[in-house]
Amino acid sequence: MKIAVINSGSSSLKFKLFAMPSKKLLQEKEIQKIGEDDSGIASHAEALDALDMDLAEIDAVGHRVVHGGEKLQKSCLIDTSVMKTIESLIPLAPLHNPANIEGIQAMKEKMPDIPQMAVFDTAFHATLPEEAFVYALPYKLYAKHEIRRYGFHGTSHSYLTKEAAKLLDKPVDEVNLITLHLGNGASACAVKNGKSIDTSMGFTPLEGLVMGTRCGDIDPDIALFLQRELGLSTKEVDTLLNKESGLKGICGENDLREILLREDERANLALKIMVRRIQKYIGSYMVLLENVDAIVFSGGIGEHSAYVREQVMQNSVIENIKSLVIETNEELEIANECYRILKNEDI
Ligand code: ADP
């Protein structure tokens, strides 16, 4: 069976084709700058054309969908009602869900008779207990408006959990882990007996760790101060916190490779702030988990930067825990999920 995985971002589309159940990667391609003048590719539908897929050989399609909200907590076949729910979640993921919807619609038009499935970035965190996902805000904001912690990067944390269990030679439902997905976006997850019990991203992917351009945890009053005292609009605050903060905000650069080449104080400060935040999350998750089998490093930074890994582990409490480096593979996890749905079996 051949399963195509489509990951449509706001301006990019990634495609991978897997043979299942062997998990062999048969083909991969990425189209960038969708909708930008110089790319010549105006829409996700055009990007799919540019992939040059052999549609006849595809048996099923798995789509990455960022937000499943409270209603879609498991991977599922996409029907009209699922589409409506994904659309209804646009206010919670205004950049991501519309791009995901475009990818699904374009693929459905091309292949109306092939099963298409949605795999949600939020789904792995559906096991968070109430005390982890309810914010200390007026409760009705959760009850009425579903303002709560959702968590993201779930597909990656789920994949890392299974791979770590294999490396530790333990059943998945017996592993306790702190998984760190450290890319341009970054999140930490506390995994107890194979399930997510806490995670650093929250209502949106802005919360938690210091990221390439996102600030992570800050005092929420700063956003109000920026509007009230500095006269910034809501949109300007949004841009400042999501695109102009994090490593970039501190030292003007969000690419860790470039930061590591620099020797100035600001670059060092950016690294120190990022590392300290990761350590704070590890510390708090150690307390929640009580015993930790391993800390798992992944994502571009976690996989490739020995320096960051060393800095994070350089602590008399943390250094006693085993650390693992695992290359994440969200697309393969999506293909696994699709296969599981179609065959009703785990592989
Ligand atoms: P995304 O979240 O966009 O998928 P990635 O997981 O690709 O991001 O991670 C991007 C980050 O990983 C960047 O900060 C980049 O500098 C960093 N990175 C990639 N390769 C290396 C490397 N060899 N050494 C240090 N950092 C690296």
Side-chain angles (χ1 to χ4, degrees):
M1 173 185 288
K2 290 182 185 168
I3 298 182
V5 175
I6 303 283
N7 181 352
S8 352
S10 49
S11 64
S12 69
L13 194 146
K14 288 181 206 155
F15 159 78
K16 281 191 185 176
L17 184 67
F18 292 96
M20 300 300 283
S22 74
K23 306 185 182 184
K24 186 168 182 242
L25 177 65
L26 302 172
Q27 210 185 324
E28 69 178 311
K29 201 162 176 183
E30 181 170 354
I31 307 284
Q32 289 182 330
K33 297 189 173 181
I34 299 172
E36 289 176 27
D37 291 346
D38 55 344
S39 72
I41 296 187
S43 64
H44 286 75
E46 283 187 32
L48 285 176
D49 288 334
L51 288 175
D52 259 343
M53 290 179 284
D54 182 358
L55 299 181
E57 65 170 1
I58 297 174
D59 299 297
V61 184
H63 295 270
R64 172 188 181 220
V65 178
V66 167
H67 218 308
E70 288 223 301
K71 293 184 191 76
L72 297 170
Q73 298 201 334
K74 278 194 180 131
S75 314
C76 60
L77 275 164
I78 303 172
D79 57 16
T80 322
S81 123
V82 169
M83 270 312 257
K84 280 205 177 121
T85 309
I86 298 173
E87 277 165 20
S88 76
L89 293 166
I90 289 176
L92 297 185
L95 290 180
H96 294 102
N97 273 26
N100 303 154
I101 290 165
E102 271 197 51
I104 296 169
Q105 278 167 341
M107 213 56 193
K108 279 203 154 202
E109 270 166 36
K110 278 188 181 300
M111 316 177 71
D113 301 323
I114 299 296
Q116 314 240 357
M117 282 149 281
V119 178
F120 304 96
D121 251 24
T122 44
F124 184 61
H125 306 299
T127 47
L128 253 55
E130 251 184 333
E131 59 270 31
F133 75 69
V134 174
Y135 286 113
L137 291 167
Y139 189 79
K140 70 167 187 256
L141 289 180
Y142 164 55
K144 241 183 134 177
H145 300 285
E146 296 179 359
I147 296 178
R148 50 160 283 181
R149 172 183 307 285
Y150 289 100
F152 299 88
H153 286 152
T155 313
S156 177
H157 291 296
S158 167
Y159 179 82
L160 297 173
T161 300
K162 290 182 208 165
E163 292 301 304
K166 280 187 218 161
L167 291 172
L168 295 165
D169 202 16
K170 276 186 129 181
V172 176
D173 57 6
E174 285 178 22
V175 283
N176 282 8
L177 305 166
I178 297 171
T179 50
L180 301 169
H181 178 106
L182 309 176
N184 234 327
S187 68
C189 182
V191 176
K192 186 166 196 165
N193 297 327
K195 294 196 165 63
S196 169
I197 61 152
D198 216 327
T199 190
S200 59
M201 284 179 168
F203 178 57
T204 72
L206 184 57
E207 195 180 343
L209 302 178
V210 175
M211 308 180 216
T213 62
R214 295 187 202 129
C215 58
D217 296 335
I218 55 165
D219 181 340
D221 231 358
I222 294 171
L224 304 179
F225 182 93
L226 292 172
Q227 296 182 65
R228 195 179 61 235
E229 304 297 330
L230 303 188
L232 268 63
S233 67
T234 316
K235 195 164 183 299
E236 284 168 335
V237 174
D238 182 346
T239 306
L240 184 143
L241 301 178
N242 279 288
K243 305 227 162 81
E244 295 166 356
S245 296
L247 298 173
K248 184 176 183 191
I250 304 163
C251 74
E253 175 63 66
N254 64 293
D255 189 315
L256 188 86
R257 279 166 295 201
E258 300 296 328
I259 297 174
L260 290 172
L261 293 175
R262 284 171 43 179
E263 283 171 4
D264 58 289
E265 271 181 32
R266 224 48 109 56
N268 282 336
L269 179 64
L271 289 171
K272 278 191 190 160
I273 296 174
M274 178 183 75
V275 167
R276 185 185 174 92
R277 184 81 52 86
I278 297 170
Q279 288 179 325
K280 280 169 81 168
Y281 270 91
I282 292 176
S284 66
Y285 289 171
M286 283 169 72
V287 172
L288 288 179
L289 293 168
E290 294 180 87
N291 60 67
V292 181
D293 296 312
I295 295 172
V296 180
F297 287 91
S298 192
I301 296 173
E303 289 162 26
H304 302 294
S305 177
Y307 175 80
V308 168
R309 292 196 301 266
E310 274 162 29
Q311 292 294 308
V312 169
M313 296 304 292
Q314 215 173 77
N315 170 279
S316 65
V317 178
I318 298 175
E319 71 184 4
N320 298 316
I321 304 175
K322 185 186 187 72
S323 74
L324 299 173
V325 181
I326 300 177
E327 189 182 337
T328 197
N329 194 338
E330 288 160 285
E331 289 80 14
L332 178 56
E333 178 70 5
I334 292 172
N336 278 336
E337 278 291 281
C338 295
Y339 188 82
R340 191 180 58 75
I341 294 171
L342 293 172
K343 295 280 181 185
N344 211 6
E345 64 185 67
D346 274 317
I347 47 169

